[in-house]
């Protein structure tokens, strides 16, 4: 049996397909690419490269992990988001394409600002904070997370993407670590992709999400909106007048979160925005 790059790749595709793994070729390419530390194009350019026994063993190990349900991004240790590369592991939620919509909206809303101060609540991998800092050169971002393990990943991602001088990271619950930092009523935007999975929905999640991604970054009380309400209430103290609140929400939650903002009576111009899949995904409002 040949041990060329192409042969090993094709064997991996068939193995993943036979085990019912979605997008078997994409998975096989990314896994073998991680083993050889090359991109997809190089896999095919080096199709006749003979793999070492150690490389084959490592690839087989990766394949077994993927078949067992471990997310691809955790196996290879990275995920692209908003055109940037991010380290990910089991301590952080894997950045999703729908969250790119949240980042796009915030960038658009802040483009007229010569400089801006942003708070990112529940930063996780730092995907939102880093992407905003990278695209808002004169911005200062204050990012919080309750998990010290998540913050280690976020700090590394800030350094990797060369925005560590624009972001300050704080460990603690929501706005708690930002109190007494002289930030009250000085923030242009509070942004968050908070946990929004209800208790009942959590049990219905796919195995690779439910069993591998951090529960603390997913579950949010009985209705899935407890964090949205807490962040809304906390944001009032930090936002300037006409400052922006931008929240990602779960499927079917947008109108309820918007209604809460309306009733809360501290915000105006409340809008719901759809993601690229046409799902109402972002609620945005302006402080009165």
């Amino acid at each position: 049996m040949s041990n060329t790059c192409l042969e090993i790749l094709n064997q991996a595709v068939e193995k993943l397909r036979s085990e019912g793994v979605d997008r078997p070729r994409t998975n096989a390419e990314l896994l073998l690419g991680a083993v050889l530390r090359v991109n997809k194009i190089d896999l095919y350019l080096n199709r006749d490269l003979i793999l070492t026994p150690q490389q084959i063993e490592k690839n087989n190990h990766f394949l077994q992990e993927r078949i067992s349900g471990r997310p691809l991004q955790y196996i290879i240790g990275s995920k692209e988001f908003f055109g940037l590369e991010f380290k990910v592991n089991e301590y952080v939620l894997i950045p999703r394409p729908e969250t790119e919509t949240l980042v796009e909206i915030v960038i658009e809303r802040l483009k007229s600002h010569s400089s801006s101060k942003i708070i990112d609540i529940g930063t996780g991998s730092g995907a939102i904070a880093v992407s905003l800092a990278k695209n808002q050169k004169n911005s200062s971002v204050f990012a919080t997370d309750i998990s010290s393990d998540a913050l280690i990943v976020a700090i590394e991602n800030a350094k990797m993407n060369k925005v560590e001088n624009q972001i300050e990271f704080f460990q603690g619950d929501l706005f708690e670590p930002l109190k007494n930092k002289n930030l009250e009523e000085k923030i242009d935007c509070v942004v968050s992709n908070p946990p929004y999975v209800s208790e009942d929905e959590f049990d219905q999640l796919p195995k690779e999400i439910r069993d591998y991604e951090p529960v603390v970054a997913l579950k949010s009380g009985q209705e899935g909106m407890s964090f949205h309400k807490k962040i809304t209430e906390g944001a009032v103290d930090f936002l300037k007048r006409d400052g922006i609140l931008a929240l990602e929400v779960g499927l079917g939650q947008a109108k309820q979160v918007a209604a809460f903002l309306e009733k809360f009576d501290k915000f105006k111009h409340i809008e719901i925005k759809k993601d690229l899949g046409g799902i109402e995904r972002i609620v945005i409002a302006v402080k009165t």
Side-chain angles (χ1 to χ4, degrees), residues 114-267:
S114 56
S115 64
S116 52
K117 288 185 169 66
I118 302 165
I119 291 176
D120 176 27
I121 296 292
T123 196
S125 67
I128 293 172
V130 169
S131 299
L132 289 174
K134 196 76 175 176
N135 287 275
Q136 300 283 117
K137 299 299 183 186
N138 295 319
S139 64
S140 299
V141 185
F142 307 91
T144 73
D145 204 288
I146 200 165
S147 166
S148 58
D149 292 314
L151 287 176
I152 290 169
V153 177
I155 291 166
E156 190 170 333
N157 283 325
K159 290 177 180 175
M160 193 166 72
N161 286 288
K162 298 180 171 57
V163 291
E164 68 270 26
N165 294 332
Q166 288 175 255
I167 308 175
E168 288 186 66
F169 293 98
F170 300 88
Q171 185 189 358
D173 189 26
L174 304 177
F175 294 95
E176 198 62 37
L178 300 179
K179 292 177 178 176
N180 304 316
K181 301 290 183 188
N182 197 28
L183 295 174
E184 283 80 359
E185 297 189 345
K186 293 182 180 177
I187 300 299
D188 297 286
C189 179
V190 170
V191 61
S192 184
N193 173 22
Y196 54 66
V197 179
S198 70
E199 297 284 349
D200 292 339
E201 288 172 332
F202 183 79
D203 295 331
Q204 308 305 316
L205 288 174
K207 180 179 186 293
E208 65 179 67
I209 297 175
R210 187 184 66 243
D211 292 355
Y212 289 92
E213 297 201 54
V215 174
V216 69
L218 292 166
K219 285 173 83 169
S220 179
Q222 203 61 41
E223 295 180 336
M225 289 176 283
S226 62
F227 281 101
H228 295 88
K229 293 175 180 178
K230 290 176 185 176
I231 292 167
T232 297
E233 291 163 354
V236 173
D237 294 332
F238 288 88
L239 285 171
K240 295 176 178 176
R241 185 178 179 182
D242 292 328
I244 300 157
L245 174 65
L247 301 170
E248 182 170 330
V249 299
L251 183 64
Q253 294 177 345
K255 288 182 175 60
Q256 290 169 273
V257 172
F260 174 77
L261 278 163
E262 194 83 49
K263 189 176 179 182
F264 190 58
D265 201 31
K266 300 288 185 182
F267 291 90

Side-chain angles (χ1 to χ4, degrees), residues 22-36:
D22 191 34
R23 300 183 301 134
R25 181 159 294 277
T26 299
N27 275 259
E29 290 168 344
L30 288 168
L31 291 172
L32 186 55
V35 170
L36 301 178

Side-chain angles (χ1 to χ4, degrees), residues 10-177:
N10 287 336
Q11 289 170 19
V13 173
E14 289 309 310
K15 186 170 184 62
L16 292 171
R17 182 177 287 124
S18 69
E19 295 287 346
V21 175
D22 191 34
R23 300 183 301 134
R25 181 159 294 277
T26 299
N27 275 259
E29 290 168 344
L30 288 168
L31 291 172
L32 186 55
V35 170
L36 301 178
R37 297 183 180 178
V38 299
N39 60 33
K40 173 182 171 179
I41 294 170
D42 286 334
L43 286 177
Y44 293 99
L45 289 175
N46 295 287
R47 56 189 292 149
D48 296 322
L49 175 74
I50 303 295
L51 270 64
T52 67
Q54 291 82 3
Q55 288 169 333
I56 294 170
E57 183 180 355
K58 187 173 182 180
N59 192 57
N60 287 336
H61 176 67
F62 279 1
L63 289 171
Q64 285 307 127
E65 283 194 297
R66 187 70 191 100
I67 289 165
S68 74
R70 190 177 179 211
L72 172 68
Q73 296 84 356
Y74 289 157
I75 298 170
I76 66 176
S78 68
K79 175 73 168 74
E80 186 183 326
F81 178 86
F82 217 74
L84 302 171
E85 200 67 30
F86 288 87
K87 175 184 175 179
V88 293
N89 60 27
E90 275 85 352
Y91 295 117
V92 300
L93 200 67
I94 298 166
R96 272 35 176 205
E98 49 266 34
T99 306
E100 293 185 350
T101 303
L102 177 65
V103 173
E104 283 175 358
I105 289 169
V106 172
I107 290 170
E108 176 66 24
R109 290 297 182 102
L110 295 178
K111 70 179 181 181
S112 61
H113 292 57
S114 56
S115 64
S116 52
K117 288 185 169 66
I118 302 165
I119 291 176
D120 176 27
I121 296 292
T123 196
S125 67
I128 293 172
V130 169
S131 299
L132 289 174
K134 196 76 175 176
N135 287 275
Q136 300 283 117
K137 299 299 183 186
N138 295 319
S139 64
S140 299
V141 185
F142 307 91
T144 73
D145 204 288
I146 200 165
S147 166
S148 58
D149 292 314
L151 287 176
I152 290 169
V153 177
I155 291 166
E156 190 170 333
N157 283 325
K159 290 177 180 175
M160 193 166 72
N161 286 288
K162 298 180 171 57
V163 291
E164 68 270 26
N165 294 332
Q166 288 175 255
I167 308 175
E168 288 186 66
F169 293 98
F170 300 88
Q171 185 189 358
D173 189 26
L174 304 177
F175 294 95
E176 198 62 37

